[in-house]
Amino acid sequence: MSDYAIGVDLGGTNLRVAAVGADGNILARTVLETEVSRGRDEVINELCDAVTQISRQLAQAAQKSSVEANGALLGIGVGVPGLIDSETGMLLESPNLPGWNDYDVQGEIERRLQTSVILENDANVAALGELWLGAGRGMDSLCLYTLGTGVGGGLILQGRIWRGWNGMAGELGHVNVEPQGHACGCGSWGCLEQYASAKAVARMAGEALAGGADTELREVTNGALDSLAVYKSAMRGDPVAKKIFERVGRSLGKALAAMINGLNLPLYVVGGGVSAGWDAFAPAMFDEVRKRSFVYAGTTGRDGQALGGRQRSTRIVRARLGGDGGLFGAARLPMMGKALAGVSPAVSSPARPL
Ligand SMILES: [Zn+2]
């Protein structure tokens, strides 16, 4: 067996843990519900128990197999939602994990498991996972949008996570797409998150119903509006549901166009639960990107191939790893080593007068 790492993806609703070989194969895995309401100590207990269990499973499997012995554990990588101080491994702030602010998650897990742990933001690890084994395989840079309950983002530049000056880079859901749009939890308004998240899809459907729109959503959803129901209605041709997903696509297209013009990366990946509605929103998204980004329109034909005379196209694709992107990315962290996994801009020396 090759050397392996343990990846942990700690979400607001699920806790996924897997041992992943250096070749990308899952050697053992488990998924538990995260009962955030039971408090952080309980969740950390469960997390550590799950890691210990996975290690035991591996040891037992190795005992049974007379051919190959276990490889070495390279470390544990943990993806968590929230703002992390990458120097200290402190979770500074997390809207999805109430009561965890200013908590030394990395130190606590290290203390309990007596092994080294690398903590990283969940969207960043999902981006790293897609780069390693998903849509970005073979590339060295990409930008990931995760359309989940909210909208998150991760940037990988030249093989490393881009954390930014304060570790706050990748807040792609809070880019403005509607100048006077819906108020956002971040304090701004008209953010992408208000038009392209699962919550936003449900809200827009609710607004349409409240406005008396003629739509099957009134009957099929039975009052329980969720983004999947709206997607299914859109695919059945319901004009109101179609319009909602078109708005998702146009909003995402505006945000993408700005990123493409600004960064000129080779690849933009769209993941998260709402990306399952790709067929319903992608046509509007591509249309908007083409209209608003001359970098995209100038490099990429309507077939997605590089335009004549250009060597390189700009690709926008669906994520490939589904809910496992974060798990693979978390496992990848210890394989890369802390310094290689992420990069923050170096503190420059004060400018000297000429
Ligand atoms: Zn916002």
Side-chain angles (χ1 to χ4, degrees), residues 173-175 183-194:
H174 300 283
V175 167
C184 184
C186 72
S188 181
W189 54 92
C191 295
L192 176 63
E193 181 163 294
Q194 298 305 321

